[in-house]
């Protein structure tokens, strides 16, 4: 029997076998565990592990923000944008010097266009727009890159009105610009003509043989050419710019931009979702993996890891994986747990084991039933006792009647031999069901008769192992009573359900009465939560019952 004065688990450090599935599909694995990983740094792998475990937090956050974005976009007022493109009119100097205008660099052009934008936003143009349509529309004026054109974009809740506003603003700008050019043209023409008249007067006063006469004649010819050029381009319709593209009513609104809003919602949801995922993970005290179990400061040695079984989704159904699917990863994990129990029993002389948990629904009865089947298949004589007199359930796993059982033997209304039931197909396995629910289970389990029944199962029935199903530790004191009657206590921990606080309280309660704790079995582990652990010996089972072989690797740690 385990000594309660020894260390918290077995009394001395040694490697222990732990069964669990590395990736679980296709076969089980064996691991050696005992002490927590010495590397506690929160590596990149840890970040991804948290995100994978909390992926639904991220997904729900993204979906929620997409829904918010869609609703806001749906209720937001539709705004339409219509644009008119205008070719900027050349000024008089550009008309007089076309070669200089063509050689204008990009920086100079940008400055000129900015001046045109300033002029278009001036009082003269805005006043003309108000006189034309009766109000000043919401219009933005921008220069088109690498061109001498301006874009007049008007916004309105009406598509037709937005187009009308843009065209009215563009036309008002052109009209004002042409009037300005007309004034410049007249003034420049008068200046040139006065210069021509002055030089012609000087020429008339010179003799024909005067040497300065040819120079004056050349100047007059140049001025006349400039005036002719100005007059040739003086048609304001040709020199005063034009509307390249008139605004038309847009078919769809420019605001709200639903694709952009949804994209922003996705990106924002991703950022917030990742942040919430780490917040939720930090606040979550549940034990998800063997890593969490091993990281407990006052922890408990893990001697088994059982993968998630699909049949457990129906909580009310007693699903016995070892008989329903004997080739599944879970069944292999139970066989590995059997190997651990066999090895510990041989060294520590353990024959009676109480199986309990922190709270109900952690899978203690399922673990006990499957472990009993695994031991019986290995030729061990096993008796299973249901001491959960409040909510007995062991009989459901083997389809047995719960009429006469442990309670009847306690009260002396039935003998042990008559109350024990055999299990069809497993001659080495017997079950002592709980029987009718008792009114005072704690007192009954604390009696000498309860100890005598457990001892009789070893001696009279010749059982190699007696596995006792107990109520959970935290709700009631029954498990603490039973733990004093057995050689060791096996604690079942449900991944994702049992919290570290619950487990610590359970261990404290057991240690307070010097209960010999065998170790813990972690059940319901998803394959993604077991990365980094494992002795992946790579054996699986084919549909024909044959064995397929793969690679192997070993990791060994000591308690």
């Amino acid at each position: 029997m385990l000594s309660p004065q020894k260390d918290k688990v077995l009394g001395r450090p040694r490697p222990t076998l732990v069964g669990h599935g590395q990736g679980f599909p296709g076969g089980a694995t064996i691991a050696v565990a005992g002490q927590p990983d010495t590397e506690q740094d929160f590596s990149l792998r840890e970040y991804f592990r948290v995100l994978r475990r909390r992926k639904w937090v991220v997904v729900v956050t993204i979906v929620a923000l997409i829904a918010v974005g869609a609703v806001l976009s749906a209720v937001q007022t539709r705004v339409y944008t219509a644009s008119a493109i205008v070719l900027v009119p050349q000024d008089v100097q550009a008309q007089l010097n076309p070669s200089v205008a063509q050689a204008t660099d990009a920086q100079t052009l940008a400055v000129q266009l900015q001046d045109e934008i300033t002029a278009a936003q001036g009082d003269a143009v805005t006043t003309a727009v108000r006189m034309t349509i009766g109000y000043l529309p919401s219009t933005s004026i921008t220069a088109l890159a690498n061109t001498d054109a301006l874009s007049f974009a008007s916004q309105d809740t009406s598509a037709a009105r937005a187009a009308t506003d843009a065209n009215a603003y563009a036309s008002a700008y052109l009209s004002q610009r042409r009037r300005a050019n007309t004034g410049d043209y007249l003034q420049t023409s008068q200046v040139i003509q006065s210069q021509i008249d002055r030089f012609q007067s000087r020429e008339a006063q010179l003799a024909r043989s005067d040497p300065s006469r040819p120079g004056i004649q050349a100047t007059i010819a140049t001025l006349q050419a400039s005036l002719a050029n100005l007059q040739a381009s003086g048609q304001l319709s040709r020199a005063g710019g034009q509307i390249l593209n008139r605004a038309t009513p847009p078919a769809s609104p420019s605001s709200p931009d639903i694709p952009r809003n949804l994209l922003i919602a996705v990106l924002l949801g991703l950022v917030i979702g990742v942040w919430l995922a780490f917040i939720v993970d930090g606040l979550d005290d549940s034990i998800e993996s063997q890593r969490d179990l091993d990281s407990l400061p006052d922890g408990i040695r893990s001697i088994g890891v059982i993968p998630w079984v699909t049949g457990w989704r129906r909580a009310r159904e007693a699903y016995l994986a070892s008989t329903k699917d004997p080739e599944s990863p879970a069944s292999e994990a139970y066989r590995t747990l059997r190997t651990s129990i066999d090895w510990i029993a041989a060294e520590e002389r353990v024959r009676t084991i109480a199986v309990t948990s922190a709270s109900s629904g952690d899978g203690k009865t399922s673990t006990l039933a499957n472990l009993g089947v695994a031991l019986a298949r290995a030729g061990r004589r096993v008796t299973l006792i249901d001491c959960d007199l409040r909510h007995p359930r062991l009989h459901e796993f083997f389809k047995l009647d719960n009429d006469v059982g442990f309670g009847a033997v306690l009260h002396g209304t039935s003998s042990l031999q008559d109350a024990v039931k055999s299990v069809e197909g497993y001659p080495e396995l017997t079950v002592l069901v709980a029987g009718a629910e008792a009114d005072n289970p704690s007192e009954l389990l604390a009696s000498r008769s309860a100890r005598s029944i457990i001892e009789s199962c070893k001696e009279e029935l010749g059982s190699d192992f007696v596995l006792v199903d107990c109520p959970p530790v935290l709700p009631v004191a029954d498990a603490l009573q039973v733990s004093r009657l057995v050689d060791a206590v096996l604690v079942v921990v449900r991944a994702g359900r049992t919290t570290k606080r619950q487990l610590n309280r359970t261990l404290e309660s057991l240690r307070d009465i010097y209960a010999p704790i065998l170790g813990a079995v972690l059940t319901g582990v998803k394959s993604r939560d077991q990365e980094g652990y494992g002795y992946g010996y790579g054996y699986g089972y084919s549909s024909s019952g044959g064995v397929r072989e793969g690679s192997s690797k070993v990791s060994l740690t000591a308690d």
Side-chain angles (χ1 to χ4, degrees):
M1 178 173 177
L2 297 181
S3 172
Q5 277 72 29
K6 291 184 180 180
D7 190 45
K8 62 185 178 187
V9 184
L10 285 182
R12 57 188 177 90
R14 63 169 185 274
T16 56
L17 294 174
V18 180
H20 62 85
Q22 172 127 357
F24 297 142
T29 60
I30 296 179
V32 182
Q35 71 179 31
D37 188 359
T38 56
E39 297 183 1
Q40 297 296 331
D41 58 311
F42 206 62
S43 63
L44 185 61
R45 180 179 298 179
E46 292 290 339
Y47 282 107
F48 282 114
R49 187 174 66 88
V50 171
L51 292 178
R52 188 167 57 245
R53 187 166 65 233
R54 306 297 176 187
K55 62 180 180 296
W56 288 113
V57 175
V58 181
V59 171
V60 169
T61 304
I62 292 176
V63 171
L65 286 185
I66 289 177
V68 171
V71 171
L72 292 179
S73 298
V75 300
Q76 189 174 350
T77 303
R78 298 294 189 265
V79 177
Y80 296 87
T81 302
S83 299
I85 308 300
V86 175
L87 180 63
V88 176
Q90 292 183 346
D91 57 22
V92 173
Q93 295 301 321
Q95 297 172 31
L96 292 174
N97 301 282
S99 59
V100 175
Q102 293 176 0
T104 301
D105 57 21
Q107 183 175 2
T108 303
L109 179 61
V111 172
Q112 292 175 352
L113 290 177
Q114 186 59 46
D115 291 340
E116 293 294 334
I117 293 174
T118 302
Q121 295 171 339
D123 292 339
V125 176
T126 56
T127 300
V129 173
R130 285 194 181 94
M131 293 178 63
T132 303
I133 59 177
Y135 58 91
L136 184 64
S138 173
T139 303
S140 61
I141 307 171
T142 57
L144 300 184
N146 302 320
T147 66
D148 54 351
L150 297 179
S151 172
F152 293 78
S154 295
Q155 291 186 334
D156 199 279
T157 55
S158 168
R161 192 161 53 243
T164 301
D165 294 346
N167 290 327
Y169 211 122
S171 298
Y173 162 74
L174 281 179
S175 298
Q176 179 62 29
R177 193 67 175 82
R178 286 168 181 169
R179 282 194 293 270
N181 270 2
T182 299
D184 292 342
Y185 165 75
L186 293 176
Q187 183 179 0
T188 303
S189 297
Q190 291 174 356
V191 171
I192 295 175
Q193 186 61 52
S194 66
Q195 290 177 344
I196 293 174
D197 293 341
R198 187 173 69 252
F199 279 105
Q200 285 178 342
S201 175
R202 289 180 58 186
E203 180 188 12
Q205 297 174 1
L206 296 176
R208 290 184 178 273
S209 59
D210 193 308
S212 60
R213 188 182 184 87
I216 293 176
Q217 290 177 341
T219 302
I220 292 172
T222 301
L223 290 174
Q224 288 175 338
S226 296
L227 182 59
N229 183 55
L230 182 59
Q231 290 173 344
S233 59
Q235 298 293 332
L236 296 182
S237 60
R238 301 169 65 184
Q242 57 181 318
I243 298 179
L244 299 179
N245 290 324
R246 296 190 66 83
T248 57
S252 59
S254 58
S255 176
D257 189 343
I258 296 178
R260 184 195 63 182
N261 292 348
L262 295 183
L263 178 60
I264 293 175
V266 170
L267 296 178
L268 190 60
L270 181 62
V271 173
I272 297 177
V274 170
W275 178 72
L276 287 178
F278 283 99
I279 294 295
V280 171
D281 193 76
L283 295 177
D284 187 6
D285 193 35
S286 63
I287 298 172
E288 296 283 352
S289 65
Q290 186 175 343
R291 184 190 302 271
D292 296 334
L293 191 63
D294 292 341
S295 66
L296 294 176
D298 253 350
I300 180 173
R301 181 190 56 183
S302 171
I303 62 171
V305 178
I306 311 300
W308 170 260
V309 177
T310 305
W312 291 346
R313 292 177 179 173
R314 299 177 294 275
R316 296 183 177 275
E317 179 181 341
Y319 185 85
L320 194 59
S322 295
T323 59
K324 294 289 183 63
D325 192 2
E327 297 178 357
S328 65
S331 298
E332 183 62 33
Y334 284 119
R335 286 190 284 270
T336 305
L337 176 60
R338 174 197 65 198
T339 303
S340 299
I341 297 295
D342 258 345
W343 186 79
I344 295 172
E347 183 166 320
E348 301 292 339
R349 298 178 184 176
V350 172
R351 292 180 62 187
T352 57
I353 302 173
V355 180
T356 187
S357 62
S359 57
S360 60
D362 288 343
K364 61 180 181 59
T365 305
S366 175
T367 300
L368 178 138
N370 282 281
L371 177 59
V373 171
L375 288 168
R377 280 178 172 167
R380 309 294 188 272
R381 292 188 298 274
V382 183
T383 298
L384 307 181
I385 303 178
D386 193 350
C387 285
D388 191 346
L389 303 181
R390 300 174 188 269
H391 302 288
R393 196 157 180 253
L394 181 61
H395 61 281
E396 297 178 6
F397 284 85
F398 299 100
K399 309 299 188 223
L400 301 174
D401 294 330
N402 192 37
D403 48 1
V404 178
F406 185 77
V409 178
L410 272 177
H411 290 96
T413 58
S414 176
S415 64
L416 179 62
Q417 288 76 9
D418 292 338
V420 169
K421 303 178 187 297
S422 59
V423 178
E424 183 179 356
Y426 298 93
E428 305 295 332
L429 180 63
T430 55
V431 179
L432 180 59
V433 299
E437 294 184 12
D439 296 331
N440 54 344
S442 295
E443 289 74 11
L444 293 176
L445 294 173
S447 64
R448 295 182 179 180
S449 300
R451 180 185 296 273
S452 175
I453 293 173
I454 295 175
E455 292 296 326
S456 297
C457 288
K458 290 194 300 183
E459 307 303 331
E460 296 182 21
L461 302 181
S463 299
D464 297 316
F465 288 97
V466 177
L467 305 182
V468 182
D469 185 17
C470 303
V473 173
L474 298 182
V476 293
D478 301 7
L480 301 180
Q481 299 290 354
V482 176
S483 65
R484 305 172 66 89
L485 311 178
V486 295
D487 299 334
V489 177
L490 183 63
V491 180
V492 176
V493 178
R494 182 66 173 268
R497 183 186 180 101
T498 307
T499 66
K500 296 176 182 178
R501 181 180 180 182
Q502 289 175 334
L503 181 58
N504 284 329
R505 288 176 55 196
T506 298
L507 297 179
E508 289 174 3
S509 298
L510 292 172
R511 288 166 181 161
D512 285 344
I513 61 170
Y514 299 100
I517 303 174
L518 181 65
V521 176
L522 185 62
T523 66
V525 179
K526 304 293 178 62
S527 59
R528 64 174 183 271
D529 294 325
Q530 277 305 106
E531 63 178 59
Y533 289 89
Y535 169 142
Y537 63 83
Y539 282 91
Y541 295 91
S542 64
S543 57
S544 60
V547 179
R548 59 178 182 271
E549 190 172 339
S551 61
S552 64
K553 65 177 181 178
V554 177
S555 65
L556 181 63
T557 58
D559 184 38

